[in-house]
Amino acid sequence: MLITRTVNAPRHLVYRAWTTPELVRKWWPGRRGEVTVAEMDFRVGGAWRYVMVAHGEFEVAFHGTYQEIVPNERIVNTEVMEMPGAPQDSEEGAVVNTVTFEEADGGATTISIRTNAGSKEVRDMIAQSGMEGGVREQFEIIEELAASLA
């Protein structure tokens, strides 16, 4: 799966919003809840974990490890959904996300998220989860956050 969006903010500020736990708390849930945990050991081999309580009062949690970090350009990480019985509920079944940050015209930034789900079953589960709308909300908030950091 590939999701791409251009936001009206400089690349270094978008990257900062993506890699700073206090800022991740603001954008990661989109407009669908509140982050209760945003832990990041932001280095290759380091782990991350995000937990949110959705408006429906249920908890959603994900974790993974960083495989590659190129400052202001690219982050590659695994992602595991913490739900018993989820198709990718362990590191060996983790999806792999590659996030790139590219400068665009007018000081904007194009963010691309390529997700390798590893199987059709996991890809379909992700596609049917409502993730697309949530990511759209995340990008809107990142744009607002990055503008406030300028």
Side-chain angles (χ1 to χ4, degrees):
M1 292 187 300
L2 176 64
I3 299 172
T4 300
R5 169 104 185 242
T6 299
V7 297
N8 188 25
R11 178 169 70 168
H12 73 281
L13 296 179
V14 173
Y15 184 82
R16 182 171 156 202
W18 204 277
T19 60
T20 305
E22 301 81 40
L23 299 175
V24 169
R25 285 178 172 274
K26 295 178 180 182
W27 66 261
W28 189 73
R31 302 190 196 306
R32 298 168 185 233
E34 180 181 345
V35 170
T36 56
V37 176
E39 299 170 344
M40 299 172 71
D41 179 7
F42 192 65
R43 61 182 176 81
V44 173
W48 64 273
R49 183 170 187 258
Y50 304 156
V51 180
M52 73 174 255
V53 175
H55 293 306
E57 300 301 315
F58 60 93
E59 190 172 86
V60 179
F62 292 84
H63 70 271
T65 57
Y66 296 104
Q67 297 180 327
E68 180 183 354
I69 298 171
V70 179
N72 294 312
E73 292 181 22
R74 183 176 53 254
I75 302 167
V76 179
N77 64 274
T78 61
E79 181 177 302
V80 177
M81 182 178 192
E82 295 180 15
M83 176 187 287
Q88 87 287 13
D89 66 355
S90 68
E91 278 294 320
E92 67 185 42
V95 301
V96 177
N97 295 315
T98 300
V99 183
T100 57
F101 307 87
E102 296 180 18
E103 292 182 357
D105 293 337
T109 303
T110 299
I111 307 167
S112 296
I113 306 169
R114 180 172 300 280
T115 298
N116 180 345
S119 73
K120 181 183 182 309
E121 175 189 28
V122 172
R123 183 204 64 200
D124 291 351
M125 182 195 74
I126 293 168
Q128 294 169 6
S129 71
M131 176 268 303
E132 182 180 352
V135 171
R136 189 176 305 117
E137 293 171 3
Q138 289 174 334
F139 286 156
E140 292 167 1
I141 296 167
I142 286 171
E143 186 172 66
E144 296 164 7
L145 270 175
S148 75
L149 297 172

